[in-house]
């Protein structure tokens, strides 16, 4: 009996290993083909098959050409939009959720539902009125206008998550802070915010990724190279240089995908903690 159990266990391990290996190959193969294409010269890219390995290493040359063709400004702009807008949205959302839950402001549920109602309608409904509003106010094709939009559009979800976190914090913590002489502002910054480190980092990661990958609103709200985000810049490169210089476009795509991947790898230990809203570790 024990031998049969051992054979079944070994067979199960082999099956899981084989399944994981197959899934890994299917996941890595497209990325490997992209990297191979990004290493080729334009002539080699147009005259050889995608499966043909590059004859030389030209990845950095292709990245340099893509950087000079407009990717540089888009990369910097998206970095500014992602960092500034996500940080502002997360801080404002934490304040709003703290006031609704911990300060028990009048009609707190109404204010929460009012803020969260921003996620009810499809984002495409905002395009025409938002475009007209930006034209009338002079915010169109400005960094300030793009940042303001990204802050506003990401606040509802952040408030939803932070409200869930503040509901899990024991009231004894706030009462102890009050006994020590801390007012509401001090309690928020010195106690609640450090406790909310995991969900705050999770929200920054999610919102930065969404802002970085946004194409629709970046395309609608910007037109100049000095303001447009990275995804709009990549879309423009595909239209202008896609046929004549495919390797540089692919190299630019790889570089454009790197920041969100790096950010996730750096902050991955906070990701699972943030999903549990910080209830497991404090």
């Amino acid at each position: 009996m024990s031998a049969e159990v051992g054979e079944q266990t070994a067979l199960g391990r082999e099956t899981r290993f084989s399944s994981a290996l197959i899934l890994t190959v299917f996941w890595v193969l497209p990325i490997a083909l992209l990297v191979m294409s990004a290493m080729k010269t334009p002539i080699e890219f147009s005259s050889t098959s995608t499966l043909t390995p590059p004859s030389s290493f030209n990845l950095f040359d292709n990245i340099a050409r893509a950087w000079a063709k407009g990717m540089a400004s888009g990369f910097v702009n998206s970095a500014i939009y992602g960092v500034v807008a996500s940080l502002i949205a997360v801080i404002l959302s934490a304040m709003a959720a703290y006031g609704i839950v911990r300060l028990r402001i009048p009609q707190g549920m109404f204010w929460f539902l009012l803020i969260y109602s921003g996620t009810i309608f499809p984002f495409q409904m905002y395009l025409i009125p938002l475009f007209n509003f930006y034209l009338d106010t002079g915010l169109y094709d400005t960094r300030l206008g793009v940042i303001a939009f990204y802050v506003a559009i990401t606040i509802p979800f952040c408030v939803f998550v932070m409200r869930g976190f503040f509901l899990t914090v024991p009231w004894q913590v706030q009462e102890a802070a009050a006994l020590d002489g801390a007012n509401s502002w001090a309690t928020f910054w010195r106690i609640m915010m450090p406790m909310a480190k995991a969900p705050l980092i999770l929200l920054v990661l999610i919102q930065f990724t969404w802002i970085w990958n946004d194409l629709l609103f970046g395309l609608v709200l910007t037109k100049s190279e000095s303001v447009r985000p990275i995804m709009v810049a990549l879309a423009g490169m595909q239209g202008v240089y896609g046929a004549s210089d495919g390797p540089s476009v692919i190299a630019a795509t790889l570089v454009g995908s790197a920041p969100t991947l790096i950010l996730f790898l750096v902050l991955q230990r906070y990701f699972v903690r943030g999903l549990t809203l910080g209830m497991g570790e404090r």
Side-chain angles (χ1 to χ4, degrees):
M1 181 64 69
S2 60
E4 294 179 358
V5 173
E7 292 178 359
Q8 293 177 357
T9 303
L11 181 61
R13 285 198 298 267
E14 293 178 358
T15 302
R16 290 192 295 271
F17 176 78
S18 301
S19 301
L21 182 61
I22 293 173
L23 291 175
T24 302
V25 170
F26 276 103
W27 186 81
V28 172
L29 182 60
I31 299 177
L33 294 177
L34 283 176
V35 174
M36 287 171 52
S37 297
M39 293 179 181
K40 297 179 179 180
T41 63
I43 297 177
E44 188 178 9
F45 177 79
S46 59
S47 60
T48 60
S49 170
T50 305
L51 299 177
T52 303
S55 58
S56 59
F57 186 84
N58 298 285
L59 178 61
F60 295 134
D61 293 336
N62 293 331
I63 292 176
R65 283 203 311 276
W67 196 262
K69 290 176 179 178
M71 181 187 171
S73 59
F75 191 96
V76 173
N77 289 333
S78 283
I80 294 173
Y81 300 152
V83 173
V84 175
S86 60
L87 288 177
I88 293 176
V90 169
I91 293 175
L92 293 179
S93 300
M95 292 180 180
Y98 176 76
I100 291 172
V101 177
R102 311 306 299 191
L103 300 183
R104 294 175 175 176
I105 62 175
Q107 305 297 325
M109 180 55 67
F110 167 78
W111 292 113
F112 167 70
L113 294 177
L114 181 64
I115 297 173
Y116 191 67
S117 63
T119 63
I120 295 177
F121 304 104
F123 287 167
Q124 291 79 358
M125 291 182 60
Y126 304 144
L127 290 178
I128 295 178
L130 183 67
F131 179 77
N132 292 332
F133 174 77
Y134 267 46
L135 284 178
D136 295 337
T137 57
L139 291 174
Y140 178 71
D141 199 34
T142 63
R143 285 180 175 177
L144 178 61
V146 176
I147 291 174
F149 168 75
Y150 283 140
V151 170
I153 204 68
T154 54
I155 278 180
F157 176 75
C158 294
V159 171
F160 172 77
V161 174
M162 293 309 301
R163 177 180 177 272
F165 170 79
F166 285 128
L167 286 173
T168 66
V169 178
W171 284 96
Q172 291 83 349
V173 175
Q174 192 167 338
E175 293 170 357
L179 290 176
D180 290 338
N183 56 25
S184 299
W185 188 252
T187 302
F188 172 74
W189 282 110
R190 297 180 182 178
I191 298 177
M192 296 296 176
M193 291 295 278
M195 292 177 64
K197 182 179 180 180
L200 289 173
I201 293 178
L202 170 66
L203 287 175
V204 170
L205 174 60
I206 293 175
Q207 302 308 333
F208 179 90
T209 302
W210 185 86
I211 293 171
W212 185 272
N213 293 327
D214 174 61
L215 172 64
L216 178 62
F217 290 103
L219 193 62
V220 172
L221 301 179
T222 65
K223 66 176 181 179
S224 61
E225 183 177 323
S226 60
V227 180
R228 65 185 183 183
I230 181 68
M231 291 302 156
V232 180
L234 291 179
M237 289 180 61
Q238 291 176 12
V240 177
Y241 306 106
S244 60
D245 195 0
S248 66
V249 176
I250 297 175
T253 303
L254 292 176
V255 174
S257 304
T260 54
L261 177 61
I262 294 173
L263 187 64
F264 175 78
L265 293 176
V266 171
L267 302 179
Q268 62 177 332
R269 66 192 184 99
Y270 296 102
F271 189 76
V272 176
R273 298 181 188 177
L275 291 177
T276 60
L277 298 178
M279 291 184 291
E281 294 184 30
R282 293 194 182 139

